[in-house]
Amino acid sequence: MTAIPQVRTRRMGLLGAMCALVVTGTGLTGCSSDDPDAGTNGVGKLPADQIQTKTRAAAESAETVRLSGTVVTSGRTYKLDMSLKADGGTGSVTAEGATFKLLRIGEKLFLKADAEFWSHEDGKGDDKGSDTAAADKLDGKFVKVPQGDPSYKKFSGFTDKDVLLSSLLTLHGDLATDGHHEQSGTRTIRITGDDGSGGTLDVSLEGKPYPLRLERAGGAGTLTFSGWGKPFELEAPAKDETVDYGKQLPS
């Protein structure tokens, strides 16, 4: 008389376990008619334009973020791995096979690279000798970039949280939602511009609606965002590791 209820109980328990497995593996929130936005921050139920507004607001209000991935602009591909905050940033940039480190604290910007980065391959005669000497002097040092140097504005832009986010977190064309997804274990709602040709953005459904992954329009790079609001310190380099070039940097 008790065998059937026990079998039924075991069957229901197995079904529940399978359901949990499906949820864990796919980022879905139910096996059948469950609300995929249950237990989330609720932005998944909003129109795409409102989701974009909320995610931009969340990003702007966060004190810190880590940004990594690629950006293609003016025919060049930059690989970024930057930690950013209101008063500066630090990290690395790779472009055309060369990698250099950037550190900005307030208005002070430092660039660190090896001798090959600083040397001029087209140097000749006395110029070549001076180029080599300059490269050796700057090799592996934090070089202070003069604010009047043409490269200051470009390089400091890589360390400016507000500048980077305002220029990157933009989808082009008609906005629409593109279902529920997952990014690094976090449930997301995806919004697109012009069915994806104008870019796609995954927005967190857990906690604040931070942007987590961006595919830029026209194949102009893919970026991930993490560490939202996690504090980190910006430390000035030691004097023996710093060079104040005092003039326009080598081109």
Side-chain angles (χ1 to χ4, degrees):
M1 295 296 292
T2 59
I4 294 177
Q6 289 176 350
V7 170
R8 183 177 181 182
T9 299
R10 287 197 296 270
R11 184 188 306 154
M12 294 301 293
L14 179 59
L15 179 60
M18 293 176 64
C19 179
L21 181 62
V22 171
V23 170
T24 303
T26 65
L28 300 177
T29 56
C31 289
S32 56
S33 60
D34 289 353
D35 182 0
D37 292 296
T40 72
N41 54 28
V43 297
K45 298 180 179 181
L46 300 176
D49 59 338
Q50 293 186 30
I51 297 175
Q52 178 171 255
T53 298
K54 285 185 174 295
T55 194
R56 289 178 70 95
E60 291 171 1
S61 66
E63 294 185 357
T64 63
V65 64
R66 182 177 180 181
L67 179 156
S68 59
T70 58
V71 173
V72 181
T73 180
S74 301
R76 293 185 178 183
T77 299
Y78 297 90
K79 183 178 179 180
L80 311 180
D81 188 357
M82 300 296 302
S83 294
L84 309 170
K85 59 195 311 185
D87 60 346
T90 184
S92 64
V93 179
T94 300
E96 298 182 344
T99 298
F100 52 94
K101 293 184 177 180
L102 292 173
L103 169 64
R104 182 176 65 84
I105 305 175
E107 295 184 350
K108 295 181 179 180
L109 177 66
F110 300 91
L111 189 155
K112 182 179 181 180
D114 59 20
E116 184 178 358
F117 174 89
W118 293 110
S119 64
H120 296 184
E121 294 182 358
D122 58 350
K124 297 179 180 180
D126 294 337
D127 289 339
K128 184 174 182 179
S130 62
D131 290 342
T132 301
D136 290 341
K137 179 182 179 182
L138 305 179
D139 180 28
K141 300 290 187 178
F142 283 95
V143 180
K144 186 176 181 181
V145 182
Q147 291 189 35
D149 191 274
S151 62
Y152 181 91
K153 184 176 182 180
K154 176 185 289 186
F155 288 146
S156 63
F158 287 121
T159 66
D160 193 311
K161 172 180 174 288
D162 292 338
V163 168
L164 275 179
L165 294 182
S166 63
S167 62
L168 293 174
L169 294 179
T170 300
L171 300 177
H172 302 279
D174 295 330
L175 299 182
T177 56
D178 186 28
H180 292 69
H181 299 268
E182 183 180 300
Q183 176 63 31
S184 300
T186 299
R187 289 178 291 171
T188 66
I189 182 69
R190 181 170 296 170
I191 57 175
T192 66
D194 281 347
D195 296 325
S197 62
T200 67
L201 181 66
D202 278 37
V203 177
S204 176
L205 288 174
E206 302 175 18
K208 292 187 177 181
Y210 290 126
L212 297 184
R213 186 176 186 273
L214 170 71
E215 290 188 14
R216 302 183 72 207
T222 300
L223 294 162
T224 59
F225 306 88
S226 60
W228 288 105
K230 293 184 178 180
F232 66 91
E233 296 297 325
L234 291 172
E235 297 184 3
K239 289 186 177 180
D240 60 353
E241 297 179 347
T242 307
V243 173
D244 189 343
Y245 201 63
K247 56 181 179 180
Q248 182 173 318
L249 299 180
S251 59

